[in-house]
Amino acid sequence: MRILRIKIIRFLGCNMIIDPQKQSFQQNHKLMIGSIVPRPIALVSTISKDGVNNLAPFSYFNGVCSKPPTVMFAPARRGWDGNEKDTLVNIRESKEFTINIVSESFVEKMVICGTDFDPSIDEFDSSNLIKISSKKVKPPIVKQAKVSFECSLTKIVQIGKHEAGGGFIVIGEIILFHIDDKVYNKGHLDLNELNPVGRLAGDWYTRSKDNFKVIRKVKPDS
């Protein structure tokens, strides 16, 4: 059987096969954000060396481990010039940040923070989100957030080259939790009260409403 070796290779009766090395990073990005779904959103608060607040959302975000309680998020380089984003610059300088979990009640204000403002702009002001002083770090938390983490930097890992498409992994330890009383119930969080949103592709988001339960065995059968 003859096989045509082109950028996108199809085998008769099989799935499409795409070599990421043979297409642009923008095309790879679309495949990733369209398949890695839903993604939790970290609304990250930092302060510049000049004392300017910065607030920006990142959906490549997740937990790492619980001892110590550690989280990570991945700020990519800017897509048009490959420069570092203000959030990363601020964290590298200050070694601290806060992460605020995004609920549907303020999702539109969160989207405003995703605009590439000039470093002199305070996104709290632009989005009308309210800042509250943190207890252990300088960057504030978001009043509207029902769950927030105060974090200290553990490590920054660079991925790729100094060019558009590359990025970083920011790993931080949670040194203080902020949890709304309405969300907390006997050591657990009420998902309906938290009402977090997940990121999809393009302008699409999703709610955590349609859930189902699968019982997991603690130990395999002997």
Side-chain angles (χ1 to χ4, degrees):
M1 181 177 64
R2 183 182 179 187
I3 300 176
L4 297 178
R5 298 188 178 277
I6 56 178
K7 180 186 296 185
I8 299 177
I9 305 173
R10 284 183 180 272
F11 291 94
L12 185 61
C14 297
N15 295 329
M16 180 181 295
I17 297 175
I18 300 176
D19 185 343
Q21 299 296 324
K22 296 181 180 180
Q23 64 178 11
S24 69
F25 78 86
Q26 293 96 334
Q27 291 171 305
N28 290 330
H29 178 69
K30 289 180 180 179
L31 294 179
M32 293 175 69
I33 63 173
S35 57
I36 306 173
V37 292
R39 301 185 302 280
I41 304 170
L43 187 54
V44 182
S45 167
T46 59
I47 297 181
S48 73
K49 63 181 180 180
D50 297 322
V52 179
N53 291 299
N54 180 271
L55 192 60
F58 298 89
S59 65
Y60 281 173
F61 156 61
N62 222 310
V64 176
C65 63
S66 54
K67 188 177 181 180
T70 301
V71 291
M72 60 75 62
F73 73 97
R77 292 182 180 274
R78 291 197 311 211
W80 64 89
D81 61 8
N83 288 336
E84 298 176 357
K85 294 182 177 178
D86 297 337
T87 297
L88 180 72
V89 173
N90 294 346
I91 292 175
R92 183 182 286 116
E93 292 173 344
S94 70
K95 308 294 191 268
E96 55 189 26
F97 56 97
T98 76
I99 286 180
N100 304 272
I101 303 301
V102 179
S103 297
E104 187 177 359
S105 58
F106 64 96
V107 66
E108 292 183 358
K109 294 182 178 180
M110 176 274 295
V111 171
I112 293 174
C113 297
T115 304
D116 285 301
F117 291 107
D118 185 90
S120 63
I121 299 299
D122 184 336
E123 284 84 359
F124 278 97
D125 296 335
S126 301
S127 64
N128 289 320
L129 288 168
I130 301 171
K131 62 176 76 75
I132 296 180
S133 297
S134 296
K135 303 295 184 182
K136 293 187 176 183
V137 299
K138 290 183 179 180
I141 61 172
V142 175
K143 181 178 181 180
Q144 287 87 342
K146 298 178 181 179
V147 175
S148 298
F149 311 142
E150 294 186 30
C151 302
S152 63
L153 176 64
T154 301
K155 190 175 185 179
I156 296 175
V157 180
Q158 179 173 328
I159 306 294
K161 299 179 181 179
H162 188 152
E163 61 184 2
F168 301 83
I169 301 172
V170 176
I171 304 170
E173 179 180 346
I174 300 172
I175 57 176
L176 204 64
F177 292 94
H178 293 256
I179 303 175
D180 190 310
D181 289 340
K182 295 179 181 179
V183 173
Y184 188 82
N185 182 20
K186 298 180 180 179
H188 298 277
L189 300 186
D190 185 332
L191 192 61
N192 289 326
E193 185 65 38
L194 179 58
N195 195 19
V197 294
R199 189 78 166 89
L200 301 177
D203 295 326
W204 288 94
Y205 295 81
T206 185
R207 302 178 178 92
S208 57
K209 296 292 187 180
D210 184 13
N211 304 315
F212 61 94
K213 188 175 184 178
V214 178
I215 304 300
R216 183 180 62 179
K217 292 182 180 180
V218 177
K219 294 182 179 179
D221 295 332
S222 56

